[in-house]
């Protein structure tokens, strides 16, 4: 996975994430018109990014909607616009008029944020710790997807699940995304493996659709495997692989 950063083919992930500046994006967009491989890869990265977002998305607490709606009812509405041919107001007047809708938006936002703050306080330190862990995971996933040397491989497991692995030698990280993954069943879980010259090493657990960061060192791994194991995982695979995806070189 060693490629020059200036190679247009390495920009597919950054393009899909909107991480290119205007000049880079325009140049890569032109490149896409003549490169079928990059068009497919960019589309795959966009689909993967969407699945990643869905995997970590969490609905806000129900109390937030009620608090926002209550705040809206308590905010004075703007008067109707009346056409006028009066002289152009002074700059200070324009600033004050523009500030009115901004103040309205700010008051509603403050109410929502205030409700979130109360909800977070009620849930204590556990919620804050969970938020930090989630943010760290998102940062790692985003870094891998946007890495100049990021490469992706797709596969379908024997149970019908669709899988995507994105790996970066530079970041020494890889992420695994699953879709349509059947429930593993009572007392079972899916386990990921990194194949190092025929030796399968544990790389994490996954029991539903979503994305996980592989544990271990993916740099020297030749493939990523998926098996069905007892809850808690196993030191070595106990079943035949449902999926074995060769990592791109």
């Amino acid at each position: 996975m060693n490629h020059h950063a200036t190679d247009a083919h390495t920009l597919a992930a950054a393009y899909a994430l909107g991480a290119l500046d205007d000049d880079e994006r325009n140049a890569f967009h032109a490149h896409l018109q003549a490169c079928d491989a990059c068009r497919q890869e960019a589309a795959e990265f966009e689909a993967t990014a969407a699945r990643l977002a869905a995997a970590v998305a969490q609905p806000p607490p129900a109390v937030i909607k009620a608090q926002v709606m209550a705040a809206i009812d308590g905010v004075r509405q703007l008067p109707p616009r009346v056409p006028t041919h009066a002289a152009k107001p002074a700059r200070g007047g324009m600033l004050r008029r523009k500030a009115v809708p901004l103040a309205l938006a700010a008051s509603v936002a403050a109410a929502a944020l205030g409700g979130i703050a109360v909800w977070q306080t009620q849930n204590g330190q556990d919620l804050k710790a969970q938020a930090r862990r989630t943010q760290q995971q998102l940062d790692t996933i985003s870094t891998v997807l946007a890495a100049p040397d990021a490469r992706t491989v797709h596969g379908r497991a024997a149970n019908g699940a669709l899988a995507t692995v994105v790996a970066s030698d530079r970041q020494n990280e890889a992420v695994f995304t699953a879709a349509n993954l059947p429930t593993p069943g009572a007392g079972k879980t899916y386990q990921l493996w990194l194949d190092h010259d025929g030796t399968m090493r544990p790389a994490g657990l996954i029991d539903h659709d979503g994305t996980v960061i592989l544990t271990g060192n993916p740099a020297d791994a030749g493939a990523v495997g998926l098996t069905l194991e007892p809850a808690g995982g196993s030191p070595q695979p106990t079943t035949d692989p449902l999926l074995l995806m060769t990592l791109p070189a």
Side-chain angles (χ1 to χ4, degrees):
M1 289 187 284
N2 294 324
H3 298 267
H4 295 295
T6 55
D7 185 354
H9 298 280
T10 67
L11 299 178
Y15 174 83
L17 293 174
L20 300 178
D21 61 32
D22 290 342
D23 291 339
E24 290 173 331
R25 185 172 184 85
N26 290 337
F28 187 75
H29 185 73
H31 170 74
L32 286 179
Q33 309 310 309
C35 183
D36 292 339
C38 281
R39 281 202 302 273
Q40 179 177 350
E41 189 170 17
E44 290 170 349
F45 273 122
E46 289 173 343
T48 299
R51 287 198 295 271
L52 294 176
V56 298
Q58 295 185 6
V63 67
I64 295 299
K65 180 177 179 180
Q67 291 174 343
V68 171
M69 298 306 295
I72 291 175
D73 289 340
V75 175
R76 182 179 179 182
Q77 301 300 305
L78 293 175
R81 294 184 178 181
V82 179
T84 178
H85 300 287
K88 184 177 180 180
R91 181 172 178 81
M94 293 181 63
L95 290 176
R96 285 192 296 272
R97 189 169 62 215
K98 290 180 179 179
V100 174
L102 291 177
L104 175 62
S107 64
V108 174
L113 292 175
I116 292 174
V118 171
W119 178 68
Q120 288 179 331
T121 300
Q122 292 172 343
N123 283 269
Q125 297 301 317
D126 288 344
L127 180 61
K128 294 180 180 179
Q130 180 183 353
R132 284 194 296 269
R133 289 193 298 269
T134 299
Q135 185 60 54
Q136 290 171 352
Q137 292 174 348
L138 287 174
D139 289 344
T140 299
I141 291 169
S142 298
T143 299
V144 172
L145 290 180
D149 67 335
R151 284 296 177 265
T152 183
V153 60
H154 302 275
R156 183 185 292 274
N159 59 10
L162 300 176
T164 299
V165 174
V166 181
S168 166
D169 278 351
R170 179 175 297 185
Q171 300 300 325
N172 196 27
E173 296 279 6
V175 296
F176 177 91
T177 299
N180 302 323
L181 191 65
T183 302
K188 298 288 185 179
T189 188
Y190 294 106
Q191 187 163 358
L192 293 161
W193 306 89
L194 286 171
D195 182 2
H196 290 272
D197 296 325
T199 299
M200 303 298 285
R201 298 177 180 173
L205 305 175
I206 185 169
D207 57 11
H208 54 76
D209 287 356
T211 298
V212 295
I213 302 168
L214 272 64
T215 59
N217 182 5
D220 298 326
V224 173
L226 179 72
T227 63
L228 185 62
E229 301 292 336
S234 305
Q236 295 293 329
T238 63
T239 61
D240 293 334
L242 297 168
L243 177 72
L244 191 63
M245 301 187 337
T246 300
L247 290 174

